[in-house]
């Protein structure tokens, strides 16, 4: 998965976990793991669509979700509409399964109460965060 796809996934999962903290048409800043701005997303809750943009306002992709059920699917697309993967989120068990466009299982994650997703590869090794919808806490 590329940086943009992972950013899309993390933001979408955060939105699902956040519940009503985000309203339709909201603008959410995205940050890299060092705390620098990496882009933004515009959320339309009425349609379940999230559009992603880099710092130059170029659209990098979009996602669609239906978070009404405890287990749901999040689809990720290129700016031109080609599917690039999906995730299956189980809020009850706080687990996320990642799949490529051919439905091959590629990774999994743990949905934390903050909305952050700890991503792991299939062997259990931690994968780096690439973009998150809130600045990381300052380290002392």
């Amino acid at each position: 998965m590329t940086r943009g796809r992972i950013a899309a996934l993390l933001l979408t999962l955060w939105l699902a976990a956040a519940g009503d903290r985000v309203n339709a048409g909201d603008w959410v800043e995205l940050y890299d793991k060092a705390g620098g701005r990496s882009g933004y997303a515009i959320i339309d809750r009425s349609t379940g669509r999230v559009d992603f943009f880099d710092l130059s306002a170029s659209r990098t992709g979009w996602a669609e979700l239906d978070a009404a059920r405890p287990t749901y699917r999040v689809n990720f697309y290129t700016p031109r509409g080609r599917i690039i993967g999906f995730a299956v989120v189980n809020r009850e068990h706080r687990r996320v399964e990642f799949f490529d466009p051919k439905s091959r299982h590629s990774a999994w994650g743990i949905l934390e109460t903050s909305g952050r997703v700890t991503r792991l590869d299939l062997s259990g090794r931690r994968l780096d965060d690439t973009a998150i919808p809130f600045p990381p806490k300052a380290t002392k």
Side-chain angles (χ1 to χ4, degrees):
M1 275 190 157
T2 66
R3 179 184 173 131
R5 292 179 200 150
I6 293 168
L9 176 63
L10 293 175
L11 177 67
T12 305
L13 296 174
W14 174 78
L15 293 172
D20 42 71
R21 281 187 263 170
V22 177
N23 297 315
D26 275 350
W27 171 302
V28 176
E29 296 287 338
L30 295 175
Y31 299 88
D32 62 21
K33 61 184 175 182
R37 283 186 55 232
S38 62
Y40 62 94
I42 298 176
I43 300 103
D44 184 346
R45 279 217 183 254
S46 64
T47 62
R49 182 176 168 131
V50 181
D51 288 287
F52 302 98
F53 300 88
D54 62 17
L55 291 174
S56 65
S58 295
R59 196 166 125 203
T60 59
W62 57 282
E64 65 180 357
L65 73 146
D66 175 9
R69 298 175 304 247
T71 301
Y72 59 93
R73 178 176 164 147
V74 181
N75 296 312
F76 301 102
Y77 300 92
T78 66
R80 294 184 180 213
R82 183 176 54 87
I83 191 160
I84 54 177
F86 65 93
V88 176
V89 182
N90 186 322
R91 286 188 299 204
E92 286 181 17
H93 295 106
R94 310 198 67 76
R95 187 168 169 113
V96 183
E97 304 294 338
F98 302 99
F99 298 88
D100 68 13
K102 295 184 178 181
S103 299
R104 292 181 296 222
H105 194 212
S106 58
W108 63 284
I110 301 164
L111 184 60
E112 299 173 9
T113 55
S114 67
R116 180 184 297 260
V117 175
T118 302
R119 294 182 319 115
L120 305 157
D121 67 14
L122 295 178
S123 67
R125 283 187 314 228
R126 171 103 195 242
L127 299 172
D128 287 337
D129 292 336
T130 55
I132 52 176
F134 45 86
K137 293 180 182 174
T139 57
K140 293 181 181 180

